[in-house]
């Protein structure tokens, strides 16, 4: 059997497997429990948009979206000597680094897609190509209007719902796109094709945070009268009028601390429990940490400095880059390489975010590290200056020289090793 025949048989087997597979779904495998747009145990409906009204969710999403958008993004090409250099002459370099389309910058484009990825679990962008198949533009697509399906042959295709305002001439309101026309960055999921929304997976925790915030808002709205009983020694003819008059005079935070004058032997008895006794503040604080845990954002980055100090806050920031940003960056890089580069271009180019600037320590630590690298010969002056965003030193001035300490020598030429080597050479004479 030839290799070609074996490949055809293998493809046939794989095709049969894909035909039998269900289309990608936003739910757990074998479960009818849907996560999106459902109510929560707290009674508060949680969606991607209502969750963003929570300050903790908004802060986490903004931190991660701006962090990914602010990283330098470059297209590199392999050189003949085994190194790499920026492929600034490639049209794709300009799209990724500067403007993916005429309407937005690279920062805004990546910030938008990262926000989609954090809220819906998926980020989509339409790839516009010219007649040669080259990428000429990238446009974001709303994830809540995109669905991923399989045709009769088991091949994936993307269906995007467009509104009449977007395309009045389109009667079907559905546009089918090939996988080669879509940049799809999936988040964590169970089938490897569609990611699940962090908001949907943790909607009970977010719903409880929304309920706590609403409770606090209502408490302060009641101001000096957070709830109580007006007692009258006799019979009131119109209790509704008395209650409304009391609320109008003493209700609301603007009426707090007003002096109440009670007539006809009337007595006011408060019946509410203070927020401290109900551990309201502790609950709100825990829910903020819970939301930060969902997005794996250090608490000090969302304003909780209780467990942060000058001695550990830098380490927490480095851990944020290593354990939070790096996985997201890898998803971006591999998705862009898969979708934007042809099979032949993948052998010549690669796409890379530069996170070195975020991993740098304080000035003294960097200089100490550079000195060690410079003295041991694995970094030149220009290598160091590039990391510090300084101008290069010319070759004539020694900018590309690799130096080592003159006192260093090879192990085989030192001490007892050199003597043994010399004795061995004399014995052979």
């Amino acid at each position: 059997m030839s290799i070609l025949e074996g490949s055809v048989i293998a493809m046939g087997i794989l095709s049969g497997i894909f035909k039998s597979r269900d289309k990608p779904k936003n739910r757990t495998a074998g479960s009818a429990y849907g996560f999106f747009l459902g109510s929560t145990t707290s009674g508060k409906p949680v969606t991607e948009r209502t969750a963003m009204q929570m300050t903790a969710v908004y802060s986490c999403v903004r931190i991660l979206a701006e962090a990914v958008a602010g990283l330098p993004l470059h297209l590199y090409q392999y050189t003949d000597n085994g190194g790499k250099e920026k492929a600034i002459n490639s049209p794709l370099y300009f799209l990724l680094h500067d403007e993916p389309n005429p309407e937005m910058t690279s920062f805004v484009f990546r910030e938008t897609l990262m926000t989609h990825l954090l809220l819906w679990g998926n980020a989509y962008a339409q790839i516009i190509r010219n007649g040669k198949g080259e990428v000429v533009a990238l446009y974001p697509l709303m994830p809540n209007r995109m669905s991923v399906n399989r045709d009769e042959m088991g091949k994936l295709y993307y269906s995007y719902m467009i509104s009449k305002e977007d395309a009045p001439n389109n009667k079907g309101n559905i546009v089918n796109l090939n996988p080669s026309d879509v940049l799809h960055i999936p988040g964590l999921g169970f089938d490897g094709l569609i990611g699940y929304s962090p908001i949907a997976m943790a909607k009970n925790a977010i719903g409880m945070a929304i309920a706590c915030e609403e409770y606090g808002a209502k408490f302060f709205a009641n101001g000096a009268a957070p709830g109580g009983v007006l007692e009258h020694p006799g019979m009131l003819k119109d209790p509704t009028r008395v209650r409304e008059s009391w609320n109008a005079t003493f209700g609301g935070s603007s009426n707090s601390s007003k002096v109440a004058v009670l007539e006809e032997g009337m007595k006011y008895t408060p019946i509410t429990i203070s927020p401290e006794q109900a551990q309201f503040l502790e609950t709100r604080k825990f829910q903020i940490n819970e939301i930060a845990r969902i997005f794996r954002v250090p608490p000090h980055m969302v304003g909780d400095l209780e467990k942060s100090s000058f001695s550990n806050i830098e380490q927490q920031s480095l851990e944020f880059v290593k354990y939070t940003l790096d996985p997201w960056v890898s998803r971006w890089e591999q998705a862009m390489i898969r979708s934007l580069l042809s099979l032949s271009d993948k052998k010549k180019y690669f796409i890379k975010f530069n996170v070195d600037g975020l991993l740098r320590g304080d000035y003294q630590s960097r200089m100490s590290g550079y000195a060690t690298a410079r003295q041991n010969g694995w970094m030149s002056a220009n290598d160091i200056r590039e990391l510090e965003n300084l101008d290069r030193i010319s070759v004539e001035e020694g900018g590309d020289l690799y130096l080592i300490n003159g006192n260093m020598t090879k192990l085989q030429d030192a001490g007892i090793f050199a003597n043994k080597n010399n004795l061995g050479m004399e014995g052979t004479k």
Side-chain angles (χ1 to χ4, degrees):
M1 181 185 299
S2 66
I3 298 178
L4 180 60
E5 292 174 346
S7 300
V8 172
I9 294 175
M11 289 300 295
I13 296 174
L14 290 175
S15 177
I17 294 175
F18 285 128
K19 286 181 182 178
S20 63
R21 292 180 62 183
D22 294 333
K23 75 173 186 177
K25 297 179 180 179
N26 286 328
R27 61 184 69 243
T28 54
S31 172
Y33 178 76
F35 290 102
F36 288 89
L37 303 178
S39 60
T40 63
T41 53
S42 66
K44 301 299 178 182
V46 174
T47 66
E48 294 80 8
R49 298 186 184 277
T50 59
M52 281 290 280
Q53 296 178 359
M54 278 295 303
T55 57
V57 175
Y58 182 88
S59 179
C60 290
V61 171
R62 183 177 179 181
I63 288 170
L64 290 170
E66 291 181 344
V68 172
L71 290 175
L73 177 59
H74 302 289
L75 175 69
Y76 291 93
Q77 60 184 5
Y78 298 104
T79 58
D80 295 335
N81 59 0
K84 68 180 188 299
E85 62 182 8
K86 296 176 183 178
I88 58 177
N89 294 324
S90 172
L92 186 58
Y93 182 92
F94 176 78
L95 292 179
L96 297 177
H97 185 267
D98 297 293
E99 294 182 12
N101 61 68
E103 298 177 351
M104 60 185 65
T105 63
S106 178
F107 183 97
V108 173
F109 174 80
R110 284 182 278 153
E111 182 185 45
T112 302
L113 259 63
M114 190 63 191
T115 302
H116 293 172
L117 190 55
L118 293 169
L119 294 178
W120 281 273
N122 296 274
Y124 303 95
Q126 185 178 5
I127 304 174
I128 308 298
R129 303 178 187 271
N130 59 16
K132 299 179 181 180
E134 299 172 338
V135 180
V136 296
L138 297 168
Y139 286 92
L141 299 173
M142 287 300 298
N144 59 338
R145 292 156 63 178
M146 178 72 80
S147 61
V148 186
N149 302 286
R150 295 188 183 274
D151 60 15
E152 296 80 5
M153 300 299 295
K155 295 182 179 180
L156 289 174
Y157 70 92
Y158 294 82
S159 297
Y160 189 68
M161 181 184 300
I162 60 176
S163 62
K164 294 182 179 180
E165 291 79 9
D166 295 335
N169 296 327
N170 183 25
K171 299 180 180 179
N173 291 334
I174 297 292
V175 175
N176 293 328
L177 301 170
N178 294 322
S180 60
D181 296 328
V182 177
L183 170 61
H184 179 197
I185 308 172
L188 177 65
F190 295 117
D191 58 7
L193 299 174
I194 287 185
Y196 290 162
S197 166
I199 300 298
M201 298 296 287
K203 64 179 182 181
N204 284 329
I206 298 175
M208 184 175 178
I210 294 176
C212 289
E213 188 176 71
E214 183 176 325
Y215 170 81
K218 288 184 177 180
F219 172 80
F220 287 106
N222 288 328
V229 176
L230 285 172
E231 300 180 5
H232 193 277
M235 180 69 67
L236 286 175
K237 296 182 180 179
D238 193 357
T240 302
R241 182 184 61 80
V242 176
R243 181 177 63 250
E244 292 178 351
S245 176
W246 176 270
N247 289 333
T249 306
F250 302 106
S253 58
S254 60
N255 296 324
S256 178
S257 301
K258 278 188 174 182
V259 178
V261 178
L262 303 180
E263 301 178 358
E264 301 177 1
M266 192 176 294
K267 179 181 178 182
Y268 174 75
T269 305
I271 60 174
T272 59
I273 300 176
S274 67
E276 289 76 14
Q277 293 176 345
Q279 294 185 340
F280 165 70
L281 296 178
E282 288 79 2
T283 302
R284 283 214 65 190
K285 186 175 182 180
F286 175 79
Q287 289 309 118
I288 292 176
N289 288 333
E290 189 85 341
I291 293 172
R293 191 178 298 119
I294 295 170
F295 294 99
R296 203 186 297 173
V297 172
H300 77 269
M301 300 188 73
V302 293
D304 184 4
L305 300 176
E306 180 180 3
K307 297 182 179 180
S308 299
S309 63
F310 289 108
S311 60
N312 67 4
I313 198 167
E314 181 180 353
Q315 183 62 35
Q316 291 182 23
S317 298
L318 295 177
E319 290 178 355
F320 168 72
V321 177
K322 185 175 181 180
Y323 298 112
T324 304
L325 272 187
D326 268 357
W328 288 117
V329 166
S330 296
R331 290 181 187 274
W332 272 81
E333 291 172 347
Q334 296 183 17
M336 289 187 293
I337 291 174
R338 185 181 66 86
S339 301
L340 303 181
L341 298 180
S342 64
L343 185 59
S344 59
D345 287 340
K346 291 176 184 177
K347 301 177 182 179
K348 306 175 184 177
Y349 303 94
F350 67 95
I351 301 171
K352 190 74 175 176
F353 283 93
N354 185 2
V355 298
D356 292 339
L358 297 178
L359 292 172
R360 295 190 303 176
D362 58 89
Y363 183 81
Q364 183 177 356
S365 300
R366 296 202 313 273
M367 295 304 109
S368 177
Y370 291 152
T372 302
R374 178 72 164 147
Q375 294 170 6
N376 287 277
W378 54 275
M379 289 189 76
S380 67
N382 282 335
D383 294 335
I384 298 173
R385 295 180 69 85
E386 284 187 5
L387 293 177
E388 292 294 319
N389 292 321
L390 300 175
D391 294 335
R392 293 174 61 88
I393 300 175
S394 65
V395 177
E396 292 77 10
E397 295 176 334
D400 291 331
L401 288 179
Y402 292 89
L403 309 175
I404 60 172
N405 195 319
N407 295 326
M408 298 178 66
T409 184
K410 293 186 294 184
L411 181 63
Q412 63 187 22
D413 295 336
I416 189 172
F417 296 97
N419 294 334
K420 286 184 177 180
N421 190 27
N422 294 333
L423 292 174
M425 294 180 62
E426 291 177 357
T428 59
K429 292 181 179 179

